[in-house]
Amino acid sequence: KAGGTLWERDQLTVRFVLEESKLNLCIRALMDFKEQCRDTNIDLRLERVSRELSVERQQLLARMKNFEESVGLILGCCFKSVETLQTSDLGVLVKHCTDVLAHSQAAKVLESLTVENASKAQETLVVQYLESLASKLEDLREDHVIGLIAQHQTVAQVVDLLYERNHLPQLSEEVKELGCQFLSYV
C-alpha cells in the first residue's frame, strides 16, 4: 500500500529499524562517522586501524564507503515515513544534513566523487532527507522543525549546493529537484 501507516505497508526494514529503536542510533552513527572522516588526522587513523586490523588501506576505505552507503540508504527509506520522522531526533538530523552540505562545499567533496558514487553518498542523500522532513512538516511540530532549520542555516547550505554546484554531473537532476522541493516547503 502506498498510503496508510507504516504498519499497513510492506516495509519490513523500516519497521524493524523503528520498532527496535535503532533509528536515532543510525543517525548518530552516521553523523559521527562523517565527523571522523572530516578530521584532519584521518590519514593517521586509517593507517593505525589498518595496521591493527591487518587490513589493507583500500579494503578499509571500501568498508567505510559500504557503511556510509548502507546506513544512508536505510535512513533514506526510513525518512519516507512520517512515523520515523516523528520518533527521530530532528535536531541531530538537521545538524548532520547541514554539516555534510557545509563540508561538502568547503572541501569540494562532491567534485571528488564519481557520478555513480555521488548518488549513494551523504553529500547528496542529505538533500533527500531534508526534502522528506520538509514534506511532512504538517505532521510534525512545524515550528520546532523550522526553528532547527533556521538555527543551523540549512536553507543557505541547500541554496549554495544548488547554485554553486548546479553544473556538476555528480549533482543529479533528482537531487536538484529534491533540493528545490525542500526550499519550496520551508
Side-chain angles (χ1 to χ4, degrees):
K1 281 175 112 177
T5 69
L6 178 61
W7 285 266
E8 294 170 337
R9 295 189 303 262
D10 188 26
Q11 296 179 327
L12 297 178
T13 303
V14 176
R15 285 174 48 190
F16 171 77
V17 170
L18 184 61
E19 289 172 352
E20 297 299 318
S21 302
K22 307 250 187 289
L23 184 64
N24 287 321
L25 177 68
C26 289
I27 297 168
R28 288 179 192 282
L30 196 52
M31 183 176 172
D32 290 345
F33 171 79
K34 290 304 284 184
E35 286 175 358
Q36 294 297 319
C37 288
R38 290 191 290 266
D39 188 344
T40 55
N41 296 323
I42 186 70
D43 288 329
L44 294 173
R45 284 185 180 179
L46 288 174
E47 223 175 277
R48 182 180 51 82
V49 170
S50 178
R51 219 179 20 257
E52 288 174 2
L53 298 177
S54 301
V55 174
E56 293 291 321
R57 180 184 170 92
Q58 290 301 358
Q59 261 188 314
L60 188 57
L61 290 171
R63 289 178 184 177
M64 291 169 61
K65 179 179 172 241
N66 186 34
F67 170 80
E68 178 180 350
E69 290 176 357
S70 299
V71 175
L73 292 173
I74 288 170
L75 288 177
C77 290
C78 288
F79 294 144
K80 291 178 182 176
S81 167
V82 71
E83 294 92 345
T84 57
L85 286 166
Q86 288 170 335
T87 62
S88 297
D89 185 338
L90 297 179
V92 172
L93 176 61
V94 171
K95 181 179 182 341
H96 167 68
C97 293
T98 308
D99 288 351
V100 167
L101 290 173
H103 180 261
S104 174
Q105 175 79 353
K108 305 286 185 214
V109 174
L110 197 57
E111 290 84 340
S112 70
L113 298 172
T114 65
V115 173
E116 180 185 346
N117 289 343
S119 68
K120 300 177 220 160
Q122 283 298 288
E123 287 71 21
T124 58
L125 286 177
V126 295
V127 178
Q128 176 188 335
Y129 305 165
L130 290 169
E131 188 279 335
S132 290
L133 175 64
S135 70
K136 295 165 185 65
L137 281 175
E138 291 179 2
D139 298 317
L140 303 169
R141 293 184 359 230
E142 185 173 353
D143 56 335
H144 174 68
V145 176
I146 294 297
L148 292 169
I149 290 169
Q151 174 188 347
H152 294 289
Q153 299 178 341
T154 309
V155 169
Q157 291 302 325
V158 173
V159 169
D160 281 350
L161 174 75
L162 296 175
Y163 180 74
E164 296 291 331
R165 311 227 230 80
N166 187 42
H167 65 284
L168 295 177
Q170 294 91 333
L171 195 60
S172 70
E173 292 302 315
E174 178 187 10
V175 172
K176 292 175 192 176
E177 185 178 313
L178 290 171
C180 289
Q181 288 174 351
F182 164 76
L183 294 172
S184 75
Y185 291 130
V186 294

